[in-house]
Amino acid sequence: MENIIPNLSVDCVIFGFGANKLNVLLKERKLSDPQTGEVLINDFTLTGFHVFEGENLDTAAARTLYNITGLTNIFLEQFYAFGSTQRLASEKDQIWLQHLNLNVSNHVISVGYFSLVDSSKTSPDTEHPEAQWFPVDEVPELAFDHAEILAKALEHLRLKVRLEPIAYELLPEKFTIRELQDLYECILGTKFDRRNFRKKVMQMKYLIPLAEKQTGVAHKPAQKFIFSRDVYDRTKIEKLDFSI
Amino acid sequence: MENIIPNLSVDCVIFGFGANKLNVLLKERKLSDPQTGEVLINDFTLTGFHVFEGENLDTAAARTLYNITGLTNIFLEQFYAFGSTQRLASEKDQIWLQHLNLNVSNHVISVGYFSLVDSSKTSPDTEHPEAQWFPVDEVPELAFDHAEILAKALEHLRLKVRLEPIAYELLPEKFTIRELQDLYECILGTKFDRRNFRKKVMQMKYLIPLAEKQTGVAHKPAQKFIFSRDVYDRTKIEKLDFSI
DNA sequence: GCAAAAGTGTTGTACGTACACCCATGG
DNA sequence: CCATGGGTGTACGTACAACACTTTTGC
């Protein structure tokens, strides 16, 4: 076991898409008094961990993501560093940190990363029963400053999703236009006209139609598409129109 | 003097606009061998400093900015945290750190902030002769990973300037449409049609025309404008059009 | 044959783009 | 009076928004 850096951690905000909701993966944090059995803490945290000595920030984030999901090569991007001196100051958080008994500073800077996973690929329920998906608009009480971190991650996601084709990271490899639209509506909190949305995304050359169709649905089956990062990288152009 | 946190610093990328160029404020870093007089180091750094114990990141950034410019209440925004284990590893950087003789870790995480100042308000040349403005496309050799930090700051500035009216932070309080256009062209590296640019920005209600005009110019004097953050805050609407 | 979502086209409007001439001032 | 940049309007094309009906499947 390597030594942790006492005042530096990463927190991963892991987003998934399922049941027509944008979800975030949270870990339960539970502590009872050993004598009385009284519940001292019962809330949730993002999936974070301290950085090891000699470890890059990005590596630490990838490690944290792997430890909770078992996934590698996943979309993972730093979005903000949280460095308030008060971020671990609440009574519950202090009790928790003493309980962990790690060599932890009381002014920990945490670097926030957000990650997009196809939640059909990961099943934390089985391998990591302490981790659960929550719809981002129905998160329970969060530890530390994790509500703030989540809010900033969401803001960042909403920005990025309008600028780069990262939404595909949240979908299975093969998906329908409808699924894509649901996802965008869900992230951005809007509704789009079905015809106009289809017209718009069908212009994107990096959206490759497959011969394959939906099966087992009680209506006309939808065509499936894949996203081609290769085509995207070749065809993307810098947009310069500014919208102020 | 408070104690510094050995492994945590902030770096401010201070942008200014002058002589129709986007400039960045850099500090000279010079070291000669005390015996031989041989020049060991002669390059430039961003304006950074370690965070003090018990100090918020934002406070540390504002303090660093104040120390070099004497300015407070300046646009200052965090954009990225740099945490590579190799970022101080070059020979020159190691010599420099030993020379400073500070209690510094060899894995320092630096949180990058970018700042926008009206460079007509600050004259580092007089108060801080070691700091100089450099056009962002003509920066000299930079210490540490500061070239990377600057590149990321520029990228961030180019993004933000298209999303929020922050360009005004770089201009004097009263400015002409031409100056605004020059600034946008400079930041984004484009040219705009003068009539169309004017048409576009004149729609913005937060751009308040003054009775005042340019003086002392050998042509028709331009009208001056001010930016009203108040009007902006009242009239801004969330844009939801996504451009993928 | 019915329910349920897929798929498709047109029209009006708003906005971006391209472009040329007169105006006010200092020297 | 001349040089210099300020200030203005129009025509065109593109892109977005609004809107209704037919098609394919499972049951």
Side-chain angles (χ1 to χ4, degrees):
Chain A
M1 171 77 175
E2 304 173 64
N3 289 326
I4 64 170
I5 300 178
N7 65 344
L8 185 65
S9 69
V10 293
D11 277 299
C12 292
V13 184
I14 303 172
F15 290 113
F17 181 62
N20 227 5
K21 295 248 182 183
L22 182 66
N23 300 307
V24 61
L25 197 60
L26 300 175
K27 279 167 69 179
E28 196 165 13
R29 185 175 78 153
K30 240 183 190 165
L31 183 67
S32 303
D33 188 294
Q35 271 94 49
T36 67
E38 184 200 357
V39 175
L40 297 172
I41 302 175
N42 187 8
D43 53 16
F44 288 83
T45 68
L46 297 170
T47 58
F49 203 77
H50 279 259
V51 180
F52 289 139
E53 282 178 13
E55 186 180 42
N56 286 328
L57 283 177
D58 292 351
T59 313
R63 169 174 58 79
T64 302
L65 179 61
Y66 175 76
N67 284 343
I68 195 74
T69 65
L71 298 173
T72 55
N73 278 87
I74 290 295
F75 179 93
L76 186 61
E77 185 176 295
Q78 189 197 305
F79 64 93
Y80 202 75
F82 298 85
S84 160
T85 51
Q86 301 305 308
R87 53 183 298 275
L88 311 180
S90 88
E91 196 185 345
K92 275 188 189 176
D93 296 336
Q94 285 296 313
I95 294 172
W96 180 255
L97 293 174
Q98 281 160 30
H99 161 71
L100 286 186
N101 198 25
L102 284 169
N103 170 27
V104 163
S105 155
N106 63 6
H107 182 197
V108 176
I109 279 70
S110 188
V111 180
Y113 282 77
F114 81 104
S115 174
L116 305 178
V117 308
D118 167 8
S119 45
S120 66
K121 266 196 202 155
T122 181
S123 48
D125 300 339
T126 54
E127 298 160 39
H128 296 269
E130 78 279 16
Q132 298 169 46
W133 289 109
F134 287 89
V136 292
D137 48 7
E138 297 166 36
V139 291
E141 190 189 342
L142 293 179
F144 309 117
D145 59 347
H146 287 190
E148 186 192 342
I149 296 180
L150 174 58
K152 199 110 184 173
L154 263 171
E155 192 186 307
H156 199 81
L157 171 62
R158 291 193 176 115
L159 177 64
K160 287 294 274 195
V161 91
R162 296 195 295 134
L163 302 173
E164 284 170 43
I166 58 169
Y168 306 97
E169 306 284 345
L170 288 160
L171 292 173
E173 191 193 358
K174 301 170 180 179
F175 52 86
T176 66
I177 300 287
R178 159 66 69 119
E179 288 168 329
L180 184 62
Q181 179 172 353
D182 283 346
L183 174 55
Y184 269 102
E185 290 180 348
C186 200
I187 294 176
L188 297 174
T190 349
K191 292 287 173 193
F192 298 104
D193 177 87
R194 270 176 48 239
R195 277 166 292 191
N196 294 336
F197 184 87
R198 166 175 292 264
K199 213 184 305 171
K200 174 141 194 174
V201 298
M202 298 282 271
Q203 292 167 16
M204 314 302 173
K205 299 189 192 68
Y206 51 76
L207 210 55
I208 316 286
L210 303 176
E212 194 175 338
K213 292 184 175 187
Q214 272 183 319
T215 53
V217 288
H219 55 77
K220 180 170 176 177
Q223 191 176 16
K224 295 208 166 188
F225 291 79
I226 56 171
F227 167 68
S228 165
R229 174 152 307 278
D230 187 54
V231 175
Y232 172 69
D233 288 336
R234 287 167 200 272
T235 59
K236 73 177 165 186
I237 42 162
E238 283 301 319
K239 309 240 173 185
L240 279 169
D241 46 3
F242 64 107
S243 52
I244 294 302
Chain B
M1 171 75 176
E2 304 173 63
N3 289 325
I4 63 170
I5 300 178
N7 65 344
L8 186 65
S9 69
V10 293
D11 278 298
C12 292
V13 183
I14 304 171
F15 290 112
F17 181 61
N20 227 6
K21 295 248 183 187
L22 182 66
N23 301 306
V24 61
L25 197 61
L26 300 176
K27 277 169 70 179
E28 195 164 16
R29 186 176 76 153
K30 240 183 190 163
L31 184 66
S32 304
D33 187 296
Q35 270 97 51
T36 67
E38 183 200 358
V39 175
L40 297 173
I41 302 176
N42 189 7
D43 53 16
F44 289 83
T45 69
L46 297 169
T47 58
F49 204 76
H50 278 258
V51 180
F52 290 138
E53 283 178 14
E55 186 180 42
N56 285 329
L57 284 177
D58 292 351
T59 313
R63 169 174 57 78
T64 302
L65 178 62
Y66 175 77
N67 284 344
I68 195 74
T69 65
L71 298 173
T72 55
N73 279 87
I74 290 295
F75 180 94
L76 187 60
E77 185 176 296
Q78 189 198 305
F79 65 93
Y80 203 74
F82 298 85
S84 159
T85 52
Q86 301 305 310
R87 53 183 297 275
L88 311 180
S90 90
E91 196 185 347
K92 275 188 189 174
D93 296 336
Q94 285 296 313
I95 293 173
W96 180 254
L97 293 174
Q98 281 160 30
H99 161 72
L100 285 186
N101 198 25
L102 283 170
N103 170 28
V104 164
S105 157
N106 62 5
H107 183 195
V108 177
I109 278 71
S110 189
V111 180
Y113 281 77
F114 80 104
S115 174
L116 305 178
V117 309
D118 168 8
S119 45
S120 67
K121 265 195 202 157
T122 180
S123 48
D125 301 339
T126 53
E127 297 161 40
H128 297 270
E130 77 281 15
Q132 300 170 45
W133 290 108
F134 288 89
V136 292
D137 47 8
E138 297 167 36
V139 291
E141 190 190 341
L142 293 179
F144 309 117
D145 58 347
H146 287 189
E148 185 192 343
I149 296 180
L150 174 58
K152 198 109 184 173
L154 264 171
E155 190 188 308
H156 199 83
L157 171 61
R158 291 193 175 115
L159 177 65
K160 288 294 275 196
V161 91
R162 296 195 298 133
L163 302 172
E164 283 169 44
I166 59 170
Y168 307 96
E169 306 285 345
L170 288 161
L171 292 173
E173 191 193 358
K174 301 173 182 178
F175 53 86
T176 66
I177 300 287
R178 158 66 69 122
E179 288 167 329
L180 185 62
Q181 179 172 352
D182 284 345
L183 174 56
Y184 269 103
E185 290 180 348
C186 201
I187 294 176
L188 297 175
T190 348
K191 291 286 172 193
F192 298 104
D193 177 87
R194 270 176 48 239
R195 276 166 292 191
N196 295 335
F197 185 87
R198 167 173 292 264
K199 213 185 305 171
K200 174 141 194 171
V201 299
M202 296 283 270
Q203 292 168 16
M204 314 300 172
K205 300 189 192 68
Y206 51 76
L207 210 54
I208 316 287
L210 303 177
E212 193 175 338
K213 294 185 175 185
Q214 273 183 319
T215 52
V217 288
H219 55 77
K220 181 170 173 178
Q223 190 174 18
K224 295 210 167 188
F225 291 79
I226 55 170
F227 167 68
S228 164
R229 174 154 305 278
D230 187 53
V231 175
Y232 172 70
D233 287 338
R234 287 167 200 270
T235 59
K236 74 177 163 187
I237 42 161
E238 283 301 319
K239 308 240 173 185
L240 279 169
D241 47 1
F242 63 108
S243 51
I244 294 302

